[in-house]
Amino acid sequence: MPDAAAVAAAFDLTRLGDAFYQDPYPVYRALRAHAPVKRLPDGSVFITRHADVLGVYKDPKTFSSDKHEEFFPKYGASPLYEHHTTSLVFNDPPLHTRVRRLIGGALTPRHIAAMEGRLVGLVDGLLDAIDGAGEVDLIPAFAGAIPVEIIGNLLDVPHAERGPLRDWSLAILGALEPVLSPEVEARGNAAVREMLVYLEGLVERRRAAPGDPEVDVLTRLIEGEGGERLSARELLHNCIFLLNAGHETTTNLIGNALRCLAEWPAERARLLAEPDLVRSGVEEFLRFESSNQLGNRITTAATEIGGVALASRTRVHIGIGAANRDPEPFPDPDRLDLSRHPNRHVAFGSGIHQCVGMGLARLEGRVAIGRFVARFPDYRLAGAPQRARRARFRGHLSLPARVR
Ligand code: HEM
């Protein structure tokens, strides 16, 4: 690795090499030390310190989530543009507040606790299916198979219709990478179009036969609240977002955790000896290998971060994965410590946009990782794990393992 100051000086989010995709943390370390508010060649800044990241999250007026200005040059007038600029995560209040309230009402701790029994059944079914197999790829066979069902249940998507959800989600979120190839863009646009057609039909059926708004998020979004309803486009795009948001991120949490435990045998042994450690363990996996490594904001006025002056309309890349390895709040940050405490990671963001699904993601992580390790205490990797070449969503395309 060249000198850290030189690494920080040369860093450009639009020109990342293979080494970065494999292991971005040395680069993040160099940036935190030498250029924590790094100016990129296109005028945007990339921030890597935990305190700076929190400061941005806590001031949504100065650091807006609205993406119209940023995404038009990227996507043009296209399905991807319409989708991303209509979803709650890329909007400020009031649209953000209205949608968030509707979704959040079906994801209270009480609702999430009620999902546990069904989730345990699903996970055990998957474990049964891979038990006895020689070599198995843990991404499709396990990590990727859980969130699609859970999020499908949340919107009550009929089981037989869940097949395409995972590929649509990968295609749409893949188009959020800092660099967009024509193929990825075309796949993303096609996925939005196909999802819109599918969801229009689903919404029509649900209007004809509404579900229980207590638990069915789609019915909640259709019915609205206090006389306020979402427009047809807002409804469809926020359903797409919800289906995608809970998907790859949670797959990556589970996949990254199983890879970590294969590579940190002493931590695995602690977890086996003390299964309750899975609760703080999930927080540590989220910190150590954050499934969502990047966030974005745009300044609405002249401001500063960490003493660096920023003009109005400066784009800010939030280094979630970098902040979560900052030695300031996390002593010995490159060590996996399943009982780390305190652990104020920002894997779910913070402030008004903090992940609505974090309770559900934590439950999925806890059940999937805990039950996997208990069933297959001696599992080991079988061949090289293959990482997706992505800077934003950190996970694996494949994770071959032998479970017995
Ligand atoms: C390990 C799994 C997950 C991770 C790491 C994760 C991460 C995040 C992050 C970092 C944000 C904030 C984005 C921002 O501030 O710009 C976010 C927002 C969001 N997430 Fe998650 N997420 C996960 C799972 C889920 C699940 C399971 C759901 C759905 C049930 C979900 C639904 C949402 C929604 C709706 C938002 C937008 C909230 C808003 O804008 O107010 N996420 N997530």
Side-chain angles (χ1 to χ4, degrees):
M1 183 92 187
D3 159 48
V7 169
F11 179 77
D12 181 354
L13 203 49
T14 63
R15 297 180 53 206
L16 301 171
D18 277 333
F20 179 90
Y21 293 111
Q22 290 305 321
D23 180 9
Y25 303 110
V27 176
Y28 292 157
R29 190 183 311 126
L31 285 167
R32 274 193 316 267
H34 296 281
V37 185
K38 167 71 185 171
R39 184 73 68 173
L40 301 182
D42 65 2
S44 62
V45 291
F46 184 76
I47 61 172
T48 44
R49 284 190 179 160
H50 190 262
D52 292 340
V53 164
L54 275 186
V56 166
Y57 277 137
K58 296 291 181 219
D59 184 0
K61 280 210 167 72
T62 308
F63 298 98
S64 160
S65 288
D66 188 296
K67 296 288 184 289
H68 287 84
E69 190 174 322
E70 182 179 344
F71 283 172
F72 195 73
K74 186 168 181 175
Y75 301 123
S78 64
L80 275 171
Y81 178 73
E82 182 183 83
H83 168 62
H84 286 311
T85 52
T86 312
S87 73
L88 80 160
V89 75
F90 294 148
N91 270 282
D92 296 328
L95 172 64
H96 165 258
T97 324
R98 277 194 290 144
V99 182
R100 186 172 170 110
R101 210 181 297 127
L102 292 176
I103 297 174
L107 283 170
T108 64
R110 181 170 57 84
H111 289 106
I112 290 167
M115 295 179 201
E116 184 158 353
R118 207 166 163 191
L119 173 62
V120 167
L122 167 67
V123 166
D124 285 356
L126 293 169
L127 294 175
D128 289 343
I130 56 182
D131 204 344
E135 193 178 308
V136 58
D137 184 344
L138 296 179
I139 302 303
F142 190 64
I146 298 165
V148 69
E149 292 302 319
I150 296 302
I151 209 82
N153 293 345
L154 206 62
L155 290 170
D156 205 6
V157 175
H159 279 276
E161 297 169 15
R162 293 181 185 182
L165 291 179
R166 181 158 155 74
D167 282 345
W168 281 336
S169 150
L170 288 171
I172 294 171
L173 294 183
L176 285 174
E177 279 297 292
V179 179
L180 184 66
S181 70
E183 298 75 42
V184 170
E185 184 177 4
R187 256 206 317 277
N189 276 315
V192 176
R193 269 190 221 103
E194 289 166 24
M195 258 185 129
L196 282 172
V197 169
Y198 172 70
L199 284 170
E200 270 169 12
L202 186 67
V203 167
E204 216 169 283
R205 283 182 275 158
R206 197 62 51 84
R207 280 191 205 283
D212 174 3
E214 255 298 295
V215 290
D216 173 17
V217 173
L218 183 53
T219 299
R220 287 182 75 83
L221 291 172
I222 292 172
E223 291 183 351
E225 222 174 36
E228 226 185 345
R229 289 195 177 191
L230 300 179
S231 72
R233 290 276 115 181
E234 286 168 353
L235 171 64
L236 295 175
H237 284 298
N238 280 289
C239 286
I240 294 181
F241 176 70
L242 196 55
L243 286 166
N244 294 342
H247 204 142
E248 194 178 351
T249 45
T250 316
T251 297
N252 292 351
L253 162 62
I254 300 166
N256 289 345
L258 295 180
R259 164 106 183 248
C260 282
L261 289 172
E263 292 177 347
W264 293 78
E267 290 304 290
R268 187 199 309 196
R270 284 177 75 200
L271 181 57
L272 284 166
E274 200 188 325
D276 277 352
L277 212 51
V278 75
R279 281 180 191 274
S280 56
V282 164
E283 302 309 312
E284 182 66 345
F285 298 127
L286 284 162
R287 180 195 74 82
F288 191 76
E289 283 283 26
S290 305
S291 5
N292 183 353
Q293 296 257 318
L294 298 176
N296 296 86
R297 297 293 188 267
I298 188 165
T299 59
T300 57
T303 184
E304 60 89 29
I305 302 177
V308 175
L310 303 180
S312 179
R313 316 314 297 171
T314 300
R315 287 181 293 122
V316 178
H317 307 277
I318 300 174
I320 297 174
N324 282 339
R325 296 282 189 114
D326 185 339
E328 179 63 34
F330 307 111
D332 204 357
D334 298 323
R335 187 166 70 86
L336 182 79
D337 173 2
L338 298 192
S339 57
R340 184 179 289 275
H341 180 81
N343 189 348
R344 298 200 182 90
H345 65 74
V346 286
F348 291 121
S350 183
I352 66 166
H353 286 278
Q354 190 175 39
C355 181
V356 180
M358 64 185 182
L360 183 53
R362 283 178 164 134
L363 175 69
E364 288 180 68
R366 181 160 60 76
V367 170
I369 299 159
R371 297 184 85 78
F372 183 93
V373 176
R375 173 83 77 100
F376 305 124
D378 301 318
Y379 80 97
R380 59 191 189 284
L381 299 183
Q386 209 192 332
R387 278 210 178 270
R389 230 175 159 272
R390 291 185 172 191
R392 184 173 299 274
F393 295 104
R394 183 160 176 78
H396 295 88
L397 291 174
S398 80
L399 193 60
R402 287 195 168 273
V403 294
R404 292 278 181 205

